[in-house]
Amino acid sequence: MEKRNWKYCVAGNIVKERYDENGVLRHGTPAFRGGTKVYLCGKRLPLSWNDIEVIGLTRGRRYDVVSVPLDHIENVRVSTVYKPRILKIMNDWEFKDDWWHDTPEDKKSAEAFVALWNCERGKNVPK
């Protein structure tokens, strides 16, 4: 197991309210309450996909990896993660290289991911 005590990451929040395919108002997602902070597993994710794997505190009050539609995530930003439970999940993940690590290159990669995410979602235009 890696001995890292922190990593760069991309974090976001689950949308508080959304309408499902039947027009019914939903709060959060089936796995997460609205507003829950989640860590995105997207280092190699093409944003043309519909879902992304995230780690977050589920409605069952336990940290877990769940697939979430991209449209159910907002406020995407570069962050750092120090929580030992989150780091353990990232380090034990089968595709652990899909998470960012603690190098300057990983920080730049995370920043590029966020810029692309925001551009794809119409939040801002690249300079």
Side-chain angles (χ1 to χ4, degrees), residues 37-72:
K37 182 178 184 178
V38 292
Y39 302 93
L40 285 62
C41 179
K43 188 174 180 181
R44 294 188 176 92
L45 175 78
L47 291 178
S48 60
W49 288 10
N50 296 324
D51 298 334
I52 188 169
E53 302 294 323
V54 301
I55 298 173
L57 190 61
T58 65
R59 290 179 185 265
R61 306 298 296 164
R62 110 179 236 247
Y63 285 104
D64 205 356
V65 179
V66 178
S67 183
V68 174
L70 299 180
D71 292 340
H72 297 173

PDB file of all heavy atoms in Angstrom, residues 37-72:
ATOM      1  N   LYS A  37     -20.215  16.246  -0.954  1.00  0.00           N
ATOM      2  CA  LYS A  37     -18.927  16.382  -1.632  1.00  0.00           C
ATOM      3  C   LYS A  37     -18.501  15.006  -2.120  1.00  0.00           C
ATOM      4  O   LYS A  37     -18.549  14.028  -1.379  1.00  0.00           O
ATOM      5  CB  LYS A  37     -17.876  16.938  -0.677  1.00  0.00           C
ATOM      6  CG  LYS A  37     -16.522  17.145  -1.325  1.00  0.00           C
ATOM      7  CD  LYS A  37     -15.540  17.754  -0.340  1.00  0.00           C
ATOM      8  CE  LYS A  37     -14.212  18.049  -0.997  1.00  0.00           C
ATOM      9  NZ  LYS A  37     -13.282  18.678  -0.039  1.00  0.00           N
ATOM     10  N   VAL A  38     -18.104  14.943  -3.394  1.00  0.00           N
ATOM     11  CA  VAL A  38     -17.620  13.697  -3.977  1.00  0.00           C
ATOM     12  C   VAL A  38     -16.279  13.947  -4.656  1.00  0.00           C
ATOM     13  O   VAL A  38     -15.982  15.056  -5.093  1.00  0.00           O
ATOM     14  CB  VAL A  38     -18.631  13.097  -4.981  1.00  0.00           C
ATOM     15  CG1 VAL A  38     -19.887  12.611  -4.278  1.00  0.00           C
ATOM     16  CG2 VAL A  38     -18.985  14.079  -6.087  1.00  0.00           C
ATOM     17  N   TYR A  39     -15.474  12.895  -4.715  1.00  0.00           N
ATOM     18  CA  TYR A  39     -14.162  12.938  -5.351  1.00  0.00           C
ATOM     19  C   TYR A  39     -14.261  12.160  -6.656  1.00  0.00           C
ATOM     20  O   TYR A  39     -14.631  10.987  -6.658  1.00  0.00           O
ATOM     21  CB  TYR A  39     -13.105  12.325  -4.430  1.00  0.00           C
ATOM     22  CG  TYR A  39     -13.024  13.032  -3.101  1.00  0.00           C
ATOM     23  CD1 TYR A  39     -13.757  12.595  -2.009  1.00  0.00           C
ATOM     24  CD2 TYR A  39     -12.226  14.166  -2.937  1.00  0.00           C
ATOM     25  CE1 TYR A  39     -13.700  13.255  -0.791  1.00  0.00           C
ATOM     26  CE2 TYR A  39     -12.162  14.836  -1.722  1.00  0.00           C
ATOM     27  CZ  TYR A  39     -12.904  14.369  -0.656  1.00  0.00           C
ATOM     28  OH  TYR A  39     -12.851  15.024   0.552  1.00  0.00           O
ATOM     29  N   LEU A  40     -13.928  12.819  -7.769  1.00  0.00           N
ATOM     30  CA  LEU A  40     -14.113  12.247  -9.087  1.00  0.00           C
ATOM     31  C   LEU A  40     -12.909  11.418  -9.523  1.00  0.00           C
ATOM     32  O   LEU A  40     -11.766  11.854  -9.384  1.00  0.00           O
ATOM     33  CB  LEU A  40     -14.342  13.349 -10.119  1.00  0.00           C
ATOM     34  CG  LEU A  40     -15.703  14.033 -10.126  1.00  0.00           C
ATOM     35  CD1 LEU A  40     -15.999  14.749  -8.833  1.00  0.00           C
ATOM     36  CD2 LEU A  40     -15.811  14.983 -11.282  1.00  0.00           C
ATOM     37  N   CYS A  41     -13.189  10.249 -10.066  1.00  0.00           N
ATOM     38  CA  CYS A  41     -12.153   9.360 -10.607  1.00  0.00           C
ATOM     39  C   CYS A  41     -12.096   9.604 -12.109  1.00  0.00           C
ATOM     40  O   CYS A  41     -12.636   8.830 -12.894  1.00  0.00           O
ATOM     41  CB  CYS A  41     -12.503   7.900 -10.301  1.00  0.00           C
ATOM     42  SG  CYS A  41     -11.306   6.715 -10.932  1.00  0.00           S
ATOM     43  N   GLY A  42     -11.435  10.677 -12.509  1.00  0.00           N
ATOM     44  CA  GLY A  42     -11.528  11.063 -13.901  1.00  0.00           C
ATOM     45  C   GLY A  42     -10.232  11.357 -14.610  1.00  0.00           C
ATOM     46  O   GLY A  42     -10.240  11.979 -15.662  1.00  0.00           O
ATOM     47  N   LYS A  43      -9.118  10.939 -14.048  1.00  0.00           N
ATOM     48  CA  LYS A  43      -7.830  11.291 -14.645  1.00  0.00           C
ATOM     49  C   LYS A  43      -7.763  10.889 -16.121  1.00  0.00           C
ATOM     50  O   LYS A  43      -7.193  11.603 -16.929  1.00  0.00           O
ATOM     51  CB  LYS A  43      -6.704  10.624 -13.854  1.00  0.00           C
ATOM     52  CG  LYS A  43      -5.331  11.074 -14.263  1.00  0.00           C
ATOM     53  CD  LYS A  43      -4.290  10.489 -13.335  1.00  0.00           C
ATOM     54  CE  LYS A  43      -2.898  10.917 -13.701  1.00  0.00           C
ATOM     55  NZ  LYS A  43      -1.910  10.312 -12.803  1.00  0.00           N
ATOM     56  N   ARG A  44      -8.365   9.771 -16.474  1.00  0.00           N
ATOM     57  CA  ARG A  44      -8.332   9.294 -17.867  1.00  0.00           C
ATOM     58  C   ARG A  44      -9.722   9.229 -18.502  1.00  0.00           C
ATOM     59  O   ARG A  44      -9.917   8.550 -19.496  1.00  0.00           O
ATOM     60  CB  ARG A  44      -7.686   7.916 -17.899  1.00  0.00           C
ATOM     61  CG  ARG A  44      -6.240   7.944 -17.499  1.00  0.00           C
ATOM     62  CD  ARG A  44      -5.576   6.597 -17.734  1.00  0.00           C
ATOM     63  NE  ARG A  44      -4.175   6.679 -17.424  1.00  0.00           N
ATOM     64  CZ  ARG A  44      -3.648   6.406 -16.243  1.00  0.00           C
ATOM     65  NH1 ARG A  44      -4.413   6.020 -15.260  1.00  0.00           N
ATOM     66  NH2 ARG A  44      -2.358   6.507 -16.047  1.00  0.00           N
ATOM     67  N   LEU A  45     -10.680   9.933 -17.904  1.00  0.00           N
ATOM     68  CA  LEU A  45     -12.065   9.857 -18.372  1.00  0.00           C
ATOM     69  C   LEU A  45     -12.315  10.781 -19.553  1.00  0.00           C
ATOM     70  O   LEU A  45     -12.086  11.983 -19.450  1.00  0.00           O
ATOM     71  CB  LEU A  45     -13.021  10.243 -17.245  1.00  0.00           C
ATOM     72  CG  LEU A  45     -14.492  10.324 -17.629  1.00  0.00           C
ATOM     73  CD1 LEU A  45     -15.065   8.914 -17.718  1.00  0.00           C
ATOM     74  CD2 LEU A  45     -15.256  11.136 -16.626  1.00  0.00           C
ATOM     75  N   PRO A  46     -12.792  10.247 -20.663  1.00  0.00           N
ATOM     76  CA  PRO A  46     -13.251  11.143 -21.729  1.00  0.00           C
ATOM     77  C   PRO A  46     -14.612  11.706 -21.318  1.00  0.00           C
ATOM     78  O   PRO A  46     -15.492  10.967 -20.884  1.00  0.00           O
ATOM     79  CB  PRO A  46     -13.373  10.227 -22.951  1.00  0.00           C
ATOM     80  CG  PRO A  46     -13.477   8.849 -22.411  1.00  0.00           C
ATOM     81  CD  PRO A  46     -12.865   8.837 -21.044  1.00  0.00           C
ATOM     82  N   LEU A  47     -14.777  13.010 -21.406  1.00  0.00           N
ATOM     83  CA  LEU A  47     -16.014  13.631 -20.953  1.00  0.00           C
ATOM     84  C   LEU A  47     -17.189  13.362 -21.888  1.00  0.00           C
ATOM     85  O   LEU A  47     -18.278  13.863 -21.663  1.00  0.00           O
ATOM     86  CB  LEU A  47     -15.810  15.133 -20.746  1.00  0.00           C
ATOM     87  CG  LEU A  47     -14.913  15.474 -19.558  1.00  0.00           C
ATOM     88  CD1 LEU A  47     -14.717  16.979 -19.447  1.00  0.00           C
ATOM     89  CD2 LEU A  47     -15.464  14.912 -18.259  1.00  0.00           C
ATOM     90  N   SER A  48     -16.973  12.542 -22.903  1.00  0.00           N
ATOM     91  CA  SER A  48     -18.085  12.125 -23.751  1.00  0.00           C
ATOM     92  C   SER A  48     -18.869  10.994 -23.093  1.00  0.00           C
ATOM     93  O   SER A  48     -19.959  10.657 -23.528  1.00  0.00           O
ATOM     94  CB  SER A  48     -17.566  11.676 -25.121  1.00  0.00           C
ATOM     95  OG  SER A  48     -16.669  10.585 -24.960  1.00  0.00           O
ATOM     96  N   TRP A  49     -18.323  10.403 -22.030  1.00  0.00           N
ATOM     97  CA  TRP A  49     -19.040   9.363 -21.293  1.00  0.00           C
ATOM     98  C   TRP A  49     -20.186  10.000 -20.525  1.00  0.00           C
ATOM     99  O   TRP A  49     -20.192  11.192 -20.248  1.00  0.00           O
ATOM    100  CB  TRP A  49     -18.109   8.644 -20.340  1.00  0.00           C
ATOM    101  CG  TRP A  49     -17.122   7.738 -21.015  1.00  0.00           C
ATOM    102  CD1 TRP A  49     -16.858   7.646 -22.353  1.00  0.00           C
ATOM    103  CD2 TRP A  49     -16.258   6.810 -20.380  1.00  0.00           C
ATOM    104  NE1 TRP A  49     -15.886   6.728 -22.583  1.00  0.00           N
ATOM    105  CE2 TRP A  49     -15.500   6.187 -21.388  1.00  0.00           C
ATOM    106  CE3 TRP A  49     -16.046   6.440 -19.063  1.00  0.00           C
ATOM    107  CZ2 TRP A  49     -14.547   5.211 -21.127  1.00  0.00           C
ATOM    108  CZ3 TRP A  49     -15.095   5.462 -18.790  1.00  0.00           C
ATOM    109  CH2 TRP A  49     -14.366   4.858 -19.818  1.00  0.00           C
ATOM    110  N   ASN A  50     -21.152   9.195 -20.145  1.00  0.00           N
ATOM    111  CA  ASN A  50     -22.315   9.704 -19.420  1.00  0.00           C
ATOM    112  C   ASN A  50     -22.148   9.647 -17.910  1.00  0.00           C
ATOM    113  O   ASN A  50     -22.793  10.400 -17.194  1.00  0.00           O
ATOM    114  CB  ASN A  50     -23.568   8.932 -19.809  1.00  0.00           C
ATOM    115  CG  ASN A  50     -23.925   9.124 -21.257  1.00  0.00           C
ATOM    116  OD1 ASN A  50     -23.751  10.204 -21.800  1.00  0.00           O
ATOM    117  ND2 ASN A  50     -24.399   8.076 -21.898  1.00  0.00           N
ATOM    118  N   ASP A  51     -21.338   8.718 -17.413  1.00  0.00           N
ATOM    119  CA  ASP A  51     -21.174   8.508 -15.972  1.00  0.00           C
ATOM    120  C   ASP A  51     -19.712   8.618 -15.571  1.00  0.00           C
ATOM    121  O   ASP A  51     -18.819   8.464 -16.397  1.00  0.00           O
ATOM    122  CB  ASP A  51     -21.669   7.114 -15.561  1.00  0.00           C
ATOM    123  CG  ASP A  51     -23.143   6.904 -15.823  1.00  0.00           C
ATOM    124  OD1 ASP A  51     -23.890   7.890 -15.855  1.00  0.00           O
ATOM    125  OD2 ASP A  51     -23.553   5.738 -15.991  1.00  0.00           O
ATOM    126  N   ILE A  52     -19.508   8.851 -14.269  1.00  0.00           N
ATOM    127  CA  ILE A  52     -18.163   8.906 -13.712  1.00  0.00           C
ATOM    128  C   ILE A  52     -18.192   8.227 -12.342  1.00  0.00           C
ATOM    129  O   ILE A  52     -19.202   8.306 -11.635  1.00  0.00           O
ATOM    130  CB  ILE A  52     -17.660  10.363 -13.599  1.00  0.00           C
ATOM    131  CG1 ILE A  52     -16.190  10.403 -13.204  1.00  0.00           C
ATOM    132  CG2 ILE A  52     -18.521  11.173 -12.652  1.00  0.00           C
ATOM    133  CD1 ILE A  52     -15.563  11.789 -13.338  1.00  0.00           C
ATOM    134  N   GLU A  53     -17.116   7.557 -11.996  1.00  0.00           N
ATOM    135  CA  GLU A  53     -16.998   6.947 -10.676  1.00  0.00           C
ATOM    136  C   GLU A  53     -16.594   8.035  -9.686  1.00  0.00           C
ATOM    137  O   GLU A  53     -15.691   8.831  -9.963  1.00  0.00           O
ATOM    138  CB  GLU A  53     -15.941   5.846 -10.669  1.00  0.00           C
ATOM    139  CG  GLU A  53     -16.207   4.732 -11.662  1.00  0.00           C
ATOM    140  CD  GLU A  53     -17.445   3.928 -11.356  1.00  0.00           C
ATOM    141  OE1 GLU A  53     -17.733   3.698 -10.168  1.00  0.00           O
ATOM    142  OE2 GLU A  53     -18.139   3.538 -12.307  1.00  0.00           O
ATOM    143  N   VAL A  54     -17.256   8.059  -8.523  1.00  0.00           N
ATOM    144  CA  VAL A  54     -16.946   9.030  -7.485  1.00  0.00           C
ATOM    145  C   VAL A  54     -16.888   8.329  -6.128  1.00  0.00           C
ATOM    146  O   VAL A  54     -17.493   7.279  -5.943  1.00  0.00           O
ATOM    147  CB  VAL A  54     -17.986  10.180  -7.432  1.00  0.00           C
ATOM    148  CG1 VAL A  54     -18.064  10.914  -8.759  1.00  0.00           C
ATOM    149  CG2 VAL A  54     -19.350   9.685  -7.011  1.00  0.00           C
ATOM    150  N   ILE A  55     -16.156   8.938  -5.210  1.00  0.00           N
ATOM    151  CA  ILE A  55     -16.158   8.495  -3.818  1.00  0.00           C
ATOM    152  C   ILE A  55     -16.877   9.568  -3.018  1.00  0.00           C
ATOM    153  O   ILE A  55     -16.591  10.754  -3.164  1.00  0.00           O
ATOM    154  CB  ILE A  55     -14.729   8.344  -3.255  1.00  0.00           C
ATOM    155  CG1 ILE A  55     -13.950   7.288  -4.006  1.00  0.00           C
ATOM    156  CG2 ILE A  55     -14.791   8.004  -1.758  1.00  0.00           C
ATOM    157  CD1 ILE A  55     -12.476   7.218  -3.599  1.00  0.00           C
ATOM    158  N   GLY A  56     -17.793   9.142  -2.170  1.00  0.00           N
ATOM    159  CA  GLY A  56     -18.493  10.088  -1.321  1.00  0.00           C
ATOM    160  C   GLY A  56     -19.180   9.376  -0.176  1.00  0.00           C
ATOM    161  O   GLY A  56     -19.271   8.142  -0.154  1.00  0.00           O
ATOM    162  N   LEU A  57     -19.659  10.156   0.771  1.00  0.00           N
ATOM    163  CA  LEU A  57     -20.385   9.628   1.921  1.00  0.00           C
ATOM    164  C   LEU A  57     -21.821   9.375   1.480  1.00  0.00           C
ATOM    165  O   LEU A  57     -22.571  10.308   1.205  1.00  0.00           O
ATOM    166  CB  LEU A  57     -20.328  10.621   3.084  1.00  0.00           C
ATOM    167  CG  LEU A  57     -20.835  10.134   4.420  1.00  0.00           C
ATOM    168  CD1 LEU A  57     -20.025   8.941   4.922  1.00  0.00           C
ATOM    169  CD2 LEU A  57     -20.775  11.257   5.449  1.00  0.00           C
ATOM    170  N   THR A  58     -22.207   8.108   1.415  1.00  0.00           N
ATOM    171  CA  THR A  58     -23.519   7.740   0.888  1.00  0.00           C
ATOM    172  C   THR A  58     -24.633   8.031   1.889  1.00  0.00           C
ATOM    173  O   THR A  58     -24.375   8.355   3.043  1.00  0.00           O
ATOM    174  CB  THR A  58     -23.563   6.239   0.533  1.00  0.00           C
ATOM    175  OG1 THR A  58     -23.407   5.483   1.732  1.00  0.00           O
ATOM    176  CG2 THR A  58     -22.492   5.873  -0.479  1.00  0.00           C
ATOM    177  N   ARG A  59     -25.850   7.855   1.427  1.00  0.00           N
ATOM    178  CA  ARG A  59     -27.007   8.011   2.310  1.00  0.00           C
ATOM    179  C   ARG A  59     -26.935   7.034   3.486  1.00  0.00           C
ATOM    180  O   ARG A  59     -27.484   7.293   4.541  1.00  0.00           O
ATOM    181  CB  ARG A  59     -28.311   7.811   1.534  1.00  0.00           C
ATOM    182  CG  ARG A  59     -28.597   8.929   0.557  1.00  0.00           C
ATOM    183  CD  ARG A  59     -29.899   8.660  -0.200  1.00  0.00           C
ATOM    184  NE  ARG A  59     -30.135   9.671  -1.219  1.00  0.00           N
ATOM    185  CZ  ARG A  59     -30.874  10.748  -1.039  1.00  0.00           C
ATOM    186  NH1 ARG A  59     -31.433  10.973   0.123  1.00  0.00           N
ATOM    187  NH2 ARG A  59     -31.041  11.613  -2.030  1.00  0.00           N
ATOM    188  N   GLY A  60     -26.242   5.924   3.301  1.00  0.00           N
ATOM    189  CA  GLY A  60     -26.051   4.938   4.368  1.00  0.00           C
ATOM    190  C   GLY A  60     -24.924   5.315   5.321  1.00  0.00           C
ATOM    191  O   GLY A  60     -24.527   4.510   6.156  1.00  0.00           O
ATOM    192  N   ARG A  61     -24.376   6.525   5.167  1.00  0.00           N
ATOM    193  CA  ARG A  61     -23.323   7.075   6.042  1.00  0.00           C
ATOM    194  C   ARG A  61     -22.035   6.264   5.979  1.00  0.00           C
ATOM    195  O   ARG A  61     -21.371   6.057   6.984  1.00  0.00           O
ATOM    196  CB  ARG A  61     -23.821   7.187   7.491  1.00  0.00           C
ATOM    197  CG  ARG A  61     -25.103   7.958   7.680  1.00  0.00           C
ATOM    198  CD  ARG A  61     -25.044   9.383   7.274  1.00  0.00           C
ATOM    199  NE  ARG A  61     -24.098  10.126   8.102  1.00  0.00           N
ATOM    200  CZ  ARG A  61     -23.629  11.315   7.786  1.00  0.00           C
ATOM    201  NH1 ARG A  61     -24.001  11.896   6.678  1.00  0.00           N
ATOM    202  NH2 ARG A  61     -22.785  11.932   8.558  1.00  0.00           N
ATOM    203  N   ARG A  62     -21.680   5.815   4.757  1.00  0.00           N
ATOM    204  CA  ARG A  62     -20.405   5.127   4.598  1.00  0.00           C
ATOM    205  C   ARG A  62     -19.779   5.593   3.293  1.00  0.00           C
ATOM    206  O   ARG A  62     -20.494   5.882   2.326  1.00  0.00           O
ATOM    207  CB  ARG A  62     -20.649   3.639   4.683  1.00  0.00           C
ATOM    208  CG  ARG A  62     -20.499   2.825   3.474  1.00  0.00           C
ATOM    209  CD  ARG A  62     -20.775   1.349   3.770  1.00  0.00           C
ATOM    210  NE  ARG A  62     -19.619   0.597   3.370  1.00  0.00           N
ATOM    211  CZ  ARG A  62     -19.627  -0.250   2.365  1.00  0.00           C
ATOM    212  NH1 ARG A  62     -20.731  -0.494   1.693  1.00  0.00           N
ATOM    213  NH2 ARG A  62     -18.531  -0.870   2.033  1.00  0.00           N
ATOM    214  N   TYR A  63     -18.463   5.706   3.281  1.00  0.00           N
ATOM    215  CA  TYR A  63     -17.765   6.110   2.059  1.00  0.00           C
ATOM    216  C   TYR A  63     -17.759   4.938   1.092  1.00  0.00           C
ATOM    217  O   TYR A  63     -17.426   3.817   1.459  1.00  0.00           O
ATOM    218  CB  TYR A  63     -16.330   6.550   2.357  1.00  0.00           C
ATOM    219  CG  TYR A  63     -16.270   7.917   2.988  1.00  0.00           C
ATOM    220  CD1 TYR A  63     -16.020   8.077   4.339  1.00  0.00           C
ATOM    221  CD2 TYR A  63     -16.486   9.061   2.219  1.00  0.00           C
ATOM    222  CE1 TYR A  63     -15.977   9.327   4.923  1.00  0.00           C
ATOM    223  CE2 TYR A  63     -16.446  10.320   2.792  1.00  0.00           C
ATOM    224  CZ  TYR A  63     -16.188  10.441   4.145  1.00  0.00           C
ATOM    225  OH  TYR A  63     -16.158  11.688   4.707  1.00  0.00           O
ATOM    226  N   ASP A  64     -18.129   5.230  -0.155  1.00  0.00           N
ATOM    227  CA  ASP A  64     -18.205   4.183  -1.164  1.00  0.00           C
ATOM    228  C   ASP A  64     -17.945   4.785  -2.538  1.00  0.00           C
ATOM    229  O   ASP A  64     -18.063   5.994  -2.732  1.00  0.00           O
ATOM    230  CB  ASP A  64     -19.587   3.540  -1.132  1.00  0.00           C
ATOM    231  CG  ASP A  64     -19.599   2.119  -1.671  1.00  0.00           C
ATOM    232  OD1 ASP A  64     -18.545   1.631  -2.142  1.00  0.00           O
ATOM    233  OD2 ASP A  64     -20.666   1.490  -1.632  1.00  0.00           O
ATOM    234  N   VAL A  65     -17.608   3.916  -3.487  1.00  0.00           N
ATOM    235  CA  VAL A  65     -17.428   4.310  -4.883  1.00  0.00           C
ATOM    236  C   VAL A  65     -18.724   4.007  -5.621  1.00  0.00           C
ATOM    237  O   VAL A  65     -19.231   2.884  -5.554  1.00  0.00           O
ATOM    238  CB  VAL A  65     -16.255   3.544  -5.534  1.00  0.00           C
ATOM    239  CG1 VAL A  65     -16.096   3.958  -6.996  1.00  0.00           C
ATOM    240  CG2 VAL A  65     -14.972   3.770  -4.772  1.00  0.00           C
ATOM    241  N   VAL A  66     -19.262   5.019  -6.286  1.00  0.00           N
ATOM    242  CA  VAL A  66     -20.541   4.899  -6.971  1.00  0.00           C
ATOM    243  C   VAL A  66     -20.421   5.561  -8.335  1.00  0.00           C
ATOM    244  O   VAL A  66     -19.745   6.582  -8.477  1.00  0.00           O
ATOM    245  CB  VAL A  66     -21.667   5.585  -6.155  1.00  0.00           C
ATOM    246  CG1 VAL A  66     -22.994   5.510  -6.871  1.00  0.00           C
ATOM    247  CG2 VAL A  66     -21.777   4.985  -4.765  1.00  0.00           C
ATOM    248  N   SER A  67     -21.078   4.999  -9.325  1.00  0.00           N
ATOM    249  CA  SER A  67     -21.144   5.609 -10.649  1.00  0.00           C
ATOM    250  C   SER A  67     -22.291   6.620 -10.660  1.00  0.00           C
ATOM    251  O   SER A  67     -23.414   6.300 -10.270  1.00  0.00           O
ATOM    252  CB  SER A  67     -21.378   4.517 -11.696  1.00  0.00           C
ATOM    253  OG  SER A  67     -21.372   5.075 -12.979  1.00  0.00           O
ATOM    254  N   VAL A  68     -21.981   7.856 -11.105  1.00  0.00           N
ATOM    255  CA  VAL A  68     -22.952   8.955 -11.081  1.00  0.00           C
ATOM    256  C   VAL A  68     -22.978   9.610 -12.465  1.00  0.00           C
ATOM    257  O   VAL A  68     -21.925   9.835 -13.064  1.00  0.00           O
ATOM    258  CB  VAL A  68     -22.542   9.996 -10.007  1.00  0.00           C
ATOM    259  CG1 VAL A  68     -23.444  11.215 -10.058  1.00  0.00           C
ATOM    260  CG2 VAL A  68     -22.551   9.377  -8.624  1.00  0.00           C
ATOM    261  N   PRO A  69     -24.165   9.931 -12.977  1.00  0.00           N
ATOM    262  CA  PRO A  69     -24.224  10.681 -14.233  1.00  0.00           C
ATOM    263  C   PRO A  69     -23.511  12.034 -14.103  1.00  0.00           C
ATOM    264  O   PRO A  69     -23.607  12.690 -13.065  1.00  0.00           O
ATOM    265  CB  PRO A  69     -25.726  10.873 -14.471  1.00  0.00           C
ATOM    266  CG  PRO A  69     -26.370   9.760 -13.711  1.00  0.00           C
ATOM    267  CD  PRO A  69     -25.498   9.567 -12.497  1.00  0.00           C
ATOM    268  N   LEU A  70     -22.814  12.432 -15.137  1.00  0.00           N
ATOM    269  CA  LEU A  70     -22.064  13.693 -15.114  1.00  0.00           C
ATOM    270  C   LEU A  70     -22.965  14.885 -14.789  1.00  0.00           C
ATOM    271  O   LEU A  70     -22.547  15.806 -14.090  1.00  0.00           O
ATOM    272  CB  LEU A  70     -21.367  13.925 -16.456  1.00  0.00           C
ATOM    273  CG  LEU A  70     -20.338  12.885 -16.897  1.00  0.00           C
ATOM    274  CD1 LEU A  70     -19.756  13.273 -18.250  1.00  0.00           C
ATOM    275  CD2 LEU A  70     -19.258  12.696 -15.881  1.00  0.00           C
ATOM    276  N   ASP A  71     -24.209  14.853 -15.270  1.00  0.00           N
ATOM    277  CA  ASP A  71     -25.123  15.976 -15.056  1.00  0.00           C
ATOM    278  C   ASP A  71     -25.573  16.110 -13.603  1.00  0.00           C
ATOM    279  O   ASP A  71     -26.217  17.087 -13.250  1.00  0.00           O
ATOM    280  CB  ASP A  71     -26.355  15.838 -15.953  1.00  0.00           C
ATOM    281  CG  ASP A  71     -26.016  16.015 -17.416  1.00  0.00           C
ATOM    282  OD1 ASP A  71     -24.949  16.603 -17.719  1.00  0.00           O
ATOM    283  OD2 ASP A  71     -26.801  15.563 -18.266  1.00  0.00           O
ATOM    284  N   HIS A  72     -25.262  15.140 -12.767  1.00  0.00           N
ATOM    285  CA  HIS A  72     -25.675  15.190 -11.361  1.00  0.00           C
ATOM    286  C   HIS A  72     -24.566  15.734 -10.461  1.00  0.00           C
ATOM    287  O   HIS A  72     -24.681  15.673  -9.239  1.00  0.00           O
ATOM    288  CB  HIS A  72     -26.113  13.815 -10.879  1.00  0.00           C
ATOM    289  CG  HIS A  72     -27.317  13.304 -11.612  1.00  0.00           C
ATOM    290  ND1 HIS A  72     -27.801  12.035 -11.432  1.00  0.00           N
ATOM    291  CD2 HIS A  72     -28.128  13.872 -12.538  1.00  0.00           C
ATOM    292  CE1 HIS A  72     -28.862  11.849 -12.202  1.00  0.00           C
ATOM    293  NE2 HIS A  72     -29.068  12.955 -12.889  1.00  0.00           N
TER     294      HIS A  72
END
